[in-house]
């Protein structure tokens, strides 16, 4: 089995923070753990663990957020087409294959890898239902998102992301990880 262990760090632009993900990619699977720090709307820390099942489908996202006033956790699970948040069934999320953790560029990777959107430009748009998790509040809601492959640039590819009136042309590397996400995150230059 081909396994790649990768580390990616991003500057998170909206909350003036930083995020790092330690990622393990296999043929059809992804596990990751990550940490982030942000300043807006208040200083916070985020720690998460992400697991996927076959074909990069989210199976679990465990998130902890710490602020000055509280520590909150979320245990988001997906099995046999059903989602639960902290043990409570979430029928509004059923049909979604992926989670999308707010201000976390890593969670854009799963649909990109599943459909090879970073490998084949100029393909039709793909529409997805996602289990979106806000940060730092950890509220979970259904989110309709569209990914449209636009072009390749050497070993990178540009995929247009659209959701609720927001649009950004995201650059992914050949592993399917975000390099640049205008208005959200960028990989710092060294």
């Amino acid at each position: 089995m081909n396994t790649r262990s990768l580390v990616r760090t991003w500057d998170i632009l909206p909350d003036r923070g930083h995020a790092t993900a330690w990622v393990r990619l296999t043929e059809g699977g992804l596990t990751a753990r990550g940490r982030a720090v942000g300043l807006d709307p208040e200083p916070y820390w985020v720690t998460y663990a992400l697991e996927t099942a076959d074909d990069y489908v989210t199976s679990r996202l465990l998130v902890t957020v710490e602020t000055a006033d509280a520590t909150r956790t979320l245990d988001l699970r997906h099995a046999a087409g059903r989602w639960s948040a902290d043990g409570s069934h979430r029928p509004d999320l059923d049909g979604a294959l992926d989670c999308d953790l707010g201000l976390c560029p890593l969670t854009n990777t799963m649909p990109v890898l599943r459909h090879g959107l970073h490998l084949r430009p100029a393909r039709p748009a793909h529409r997805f239902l996602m289990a979106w998790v806000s940060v730092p509040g950890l509220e979970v809601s259904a989110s309709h998102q569209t990914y449209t492959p636009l072009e390749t640039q050497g070993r990178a590819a540009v995929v247009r992301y659209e959701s609720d009136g927001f649009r950004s042309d995201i650059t992914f590397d050949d592993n399917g990880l975000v390099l640049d996400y205008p208005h959200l995150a960028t990989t710092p230059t060294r």
Side-chain angles (χ1 to χ4, degrees):
M1 182 186 329
N2 183 13
T3 301
R4 291 166 285 168
S5 294
L6 307 165
V7 177
R8 180 64 43 90
T9 296
W10 298 275
D11 291 330
I12 305 298
L13 307 174
D15 67 353
R16 301 177 299 147
H18 306 281
T20 297
W22 295 268
V23 183
R24 184 172 174 262
L25 291 172
T26 61
E27 295 299 323
L30 176 152
T31 57
R33 59 188 173 85
R35 293 185 183 222
V37 59
L39 299 174
D40 288 327
E42 62 181 314
Y44 65 86
W45 287 94
V46 174
T47 304
Y48 67 88
L50 172 64
E51 301 170 13
T52 71
D54 293 338
D55 209 18
Y56 305 105
V57 174
T58 299
S59 56
R60 185 176 189 197
L61 175 68
L62 182 61
V63 187
T64 301
V65 172
E66 297 178 59
T67 64
D69 298 327
T71 298
R72 292 182 293 282
T73 60
L74 171 68
D75 189 356
L76 187 63
R77 294 180 185 237
H78 175 233
R82 292 173 48 102
W83 286 85
S84 66
D86 296 326
S88 297
H89 179 226
R90 291 290 305 266
D92 59 318
L93 303 176
D94 291 349
L97 298 178
D98 302 303
C99 66
D100 184 0
L101 181 60
L103 302 176
C104 177
L106 178 66
T107 53
N108 295 98
T109 294
M110 289 90 73
V112 167
L113 288 175
R114 182 179 317 108
H115 296 281
L117 303 179
H118 63 306
L119 302 174
R120 295 181 291 272
R123 296 182 63 212
H126 288 71
R127 289 171 181 74
F128 303 106
L129 175 63
M130 306 290 225
W132 190 79
V133 179
S134 69
V135 171
L138 297 184
E139 292 89 11
V140 182
S141 60
S143 172
H144 294 277
Q145 301 177 3
T146 302
Y147 288 65
T148 306
L150 298 179
E151 63 180 320
T152 56
Q153 301 171 343
R155 295 184 63 171
V158 178
V159 177
R160 176 163 292 153
Y161 167 88
E162 297 175 273
S163 182
D164 295 325
F166 175 81
R167 182 171 96 176
S168 188
D169 293 346
I170 305 171
T171 303
F172 291 86
D173 69 13
D174 57 348
N175 290 303
L177 298 179
V178 170
L179 289 171
D180 183 50
Y181 189 146
H183 312 294
L184 178 80
T186 189
T187 305
T189 57
R190 294 184 177 171

